[in-house]
Amino acid sequence: MLDSGPDLSTRLFSHIDFTNGAVAAVSGGSDSTALLLLLKHHLDRSAPSAKLLAVTIDHGLRQDSAAEAQAVAKLCAERGIAHRTMIWSGRKPSTGLPAAAREARYRLLASAARAEGIGLIVTGHTADDQAETVLMRHARDGSLGHVQGRGLAGMAPATLYDWREWIVRPLLGTRRAALRDFLQSKHVGWAEDPTNSDESFERPRVRAALAGDNVRRMDEALVLASQAAIERGQLGLDAADLIRRFASQPATGLVRLDPQLLSTGDERAAIYALRILLATVGGLAFLPDQTRGEVLFGRLKAGFLCATLSRTVVDFRRAGIFLRREARGLPPAAAAIDNTIWDGRRHITLNDSSAELLIAPLGAAAAKRLSIDAGETPASLMRAALAAEPTSRQAFENPDVPQGEPASPGFDARPVVAPFARFLPSFDLAPARAIAGLIDAPSLPALPSGGHSAG
């Protein structure tokens, strides 16, 4: 049976920095309820001044959801824990509901954390959840005999949300049954979500397959996740090293790769670095698939080419391999909105919220007016890259705007690392940092734990 003594608290939470407090995501189920009580016990002993806020997300998808949120509020009040209920309002999608609910859940948790000035969110994902996740991702590949793919690492012990809040999962090494034993020993009940047994969804089907005494299959999945996490972390370190050695940014929106990248001897890491760069330059949340990355890399090794993948033009010339956003599919002119992501590539911050600005790509015609100091980089490539950058209609239609790089009075446009901008698993910290340094994106907030292997 799991107890709440010092040994358990040390094992679960001692590696986490709670200096700036924590938001605990508490649905009322067994896992999150146990997390809350164990975390409260730990903070009372080791950091009594740390702020703890329990947040319950009411998705409004079931009749009992409001009552479950009230039960969590009552539990918190009895134990002197601050609590908030956040409601997912508005229309719900008819398809992809679990993914949409997950996105809404993290968005609302982050909103609550920001309102309290807290940068840390703690969730109750368990070893059972990890095994389910790995088996779901592995279902497309068949046997559990060997490590395949980034996704088999499962959930990371820490994930950066929106480049701001850290989501930490300290219970990934703890079984759900042990948490329920702990709650029963404390005479604390929990809610059972009927959707967790609704086998019309993928996760409940996998959960049902693991039910009972199928310990061997769960252990296999957890071992696979551990091996894949180590491999993914090392691959990220190797890719980050290649990015720092062989990638540069001669102009905004234009990345140059030294052709020596093609002959480093570590083809796997080079292809991974290329895939991350393609998604970043193209402004996409997902990397191009492994097979397409390998095909492109092979074509680059064969000689000069010009191709497009993941909205990114890949132009291999004597001066180097250049990556830029393709002109097709750029956003049309639209009103500039503060604190939004434009084209998946630029974070827009308005300098004057009262001004009415139209934001649009600079365009090829306006780019021709720019005075370019290209150096060794072909000026045509710099102009093509700058043509895809955001500016205000008022800026480039005004003949008095000075020549140079696109002028955007009224707003700032900061680069974002597109594939990691929303969710950055701690497995991928090394390549994310390398890309951020390359494109001058904001630096990452410090990891609130001893390392991505913690937990």
Side-chain angles (χ1 to χ4, degrees):
M1 178 183 292
L2 193 69
D3 63 46
S4 59
D7 290 344
L8 176 67
S9 293
T10 298
R11 179 170 66 83
L12 292 179
F13 303 115
S14 63
H15 65 284
I16 303 173
D17 181 4
F18 291 106
T19 302
N20 295 317
V23 165
V26 187
S27 66
S30 60
D31 305 347
S32 61
T33 300
L35 169 77
L36 178 65
L37 298 186
L38 290 166
L39 179 56
K40 177 67 162 60
H41 178 75
H42 173 74
L43 293 179
D44 284 347
R45 290 190 304 107
S46 62
S49 62
K51 182 186 296 185
L52 174 61
L53 173 66
V55 174
T56 303
I57 307 301
D58 182 356
H59 293 91
L61 298 174
R62 295 183 293 103
Q63 196 170 22
D64 297 332
S65 61
E68 290 166 3
Q70 291 171 1
V72 175
K74 181 174 181 292
L75 177 72
C76 290
E78 292 170 350
R79 285 161 173 76
I81 302 170
H83 176 265
R84 284 186 64 186
T85 297
M86 306 285 286
I87 298 175
W88 182 25
S89 57
R91 296 183 61 183
K92 309 300 189 290
S94 56
T95 59
L97 186 59
R102 173 179 176 265
E103 171 63 30
R105 180 163 59 253
Y106 286 124
R107 175 173 51 81
L108 292 170
L109 287 168
S111 174
R114 289 172 195 176
E116 296 293 330
I118 297 173
L120 176 63
I121 298 166
V122 186
T123 70
H125 293 102
T126 66
D128 300 65
D129 296 312
Q130 184 74 300
E132 293 160 10
T133 298
V134 171
L135 289 173
M136 286 163 56
R137 294 177 181 178
H138 205 286
R140 305 172 187 89
D141 297 322
S143 168
L144 290 179
H146 60 286
V147 177
Q148 301 177 35
R150 297 166 66 245
L152 296 185
M155 292 179 284
T159 297
L160 186 63
Y161 176 79
D162 213 16
W163 214 254
R164 292 179 63 173
E165 288 82 24
W166 280 105
I167 301 164
V168 177
R169 306 178 179 94
L171 304 184
L172 283 182
T174 306
R175 291 293 305 273
R176 177 172 295 120
L179 294 172
R180 293 187 171 189
D181 286 345
F182 161 71
L183 291 176
Q184 289 170 348
S185 73
K186 301 298 180 183
H187 308 290
V188 175
W190 61 86
E192 293 283 4
D193 183 348
T195 60
N196 286 335
S197 57
D198 183 352
E199 295 190 22
S200 63
F201 296 112
E202 183 182 18
R203 186 174 289 274
R205 290 197 299 271
V206 174
R207 183 168 298 168
L210 286 172
D213 296 324
N214 199 348
V215 175
R216 182 186 60 81
R217 194 168 184 223
M218 177 169 285
D219 287 345
E220 285 180 345
L222 294 175
V223 168
L224 178 67
S226 178
Q227 294 172 342
I230 294 170
E231 184 174 322
R232 179 168 169 177
Q234 186 59 55
L235 182 63
L237 287 168
D238 295 340
D241 178 61
L242 295 178
I243 290 166
R244 292 191 180 96
R245 289 166 56 195
F246 298 111
S248 59
Q249 183 177 242
T252 301
L254 183 66
V255 170
R256 178 188 180 275
L257 299 177
D258 188 316
Q260 292 186 48
L261 174 69
L262 304 175
S263 55
T264 63
D266 191 349
E267 194 163 294
R268 187 162 178 258
I271 291 170
Y272 186 39
L274 178 62
R275 292 169 64 209
I276 296 172
L277 285 164
L278 288 167
T280 300
V281 173
L284 296 179
F286 298 99
L287 308 188
D289 67 51
Q290 179 73 24
T291 300
R292 290 183 180 180
E294 290 171 353
V295 169
L296 175 61
F297 193 82
R299 291 183 62 194
L300 288 170
K301 290 185 72 173
F304 301 142
L305 66 80
C306 187
T308 302
L309 180 59
S310 293
R311 304 200 312 186
T312 298
V313 176
V314 183
D315 197 340
F316 188 1
R317 304 185 178 194
R318 286 186 175 85
I321 303 168
F322 295 91
L323 311 180
R324 60 177 172 83
R325 171 70 163 93
E326 69 171 327
R328 184 176 58 180
L330 288 165
I337 302 174
D338 190 35
N339 195 31
T340 55
I341 303 297
W342 184 86
D343 194 41
R345 299 181 293 127
R346 302 291 181 257
H347 183 269
I348 303 300
T349 304
L350 298 184
N351 297 329
D352 181 1
S353 59
S354 64
E356 294 183 2
L357 293 174
L358 284 178
I359 186 171
L362 180 68
K368 289 180 180 179
R369 293 167 35 198
L370 301 177
S371 176
I372 299 291
D373 181 12
E376 297 180 358
T377 303
S380 61
L381 290 180
M382 297 181 74
R383 293 181 191 278
L386 294 171
E389 289 301 302
T391 190
S392 65
R393 284 285 186 184
Q394 292 89 332
F396 75 77
E397 290 178 352
N398 183 350
D400 296 328
V401 171
Q403 291 189 335
E405 290 204 0
S408 301
F411 66 85
D412 292 323
R414 292 295 306 273
V416 300
V417 184
F420 304 128
R422 198 63 162 172
F423 293 100
L424 169 57
S426 50
F427 306 130
D428 301 321
L429 281 178
R433 286 193 177 111
I435 295 288
L438 172 68
I439 65 174
D440 195 29
S443 58
L444 292 165
L447 189 70
S449 63
H452 81 264
S453 62

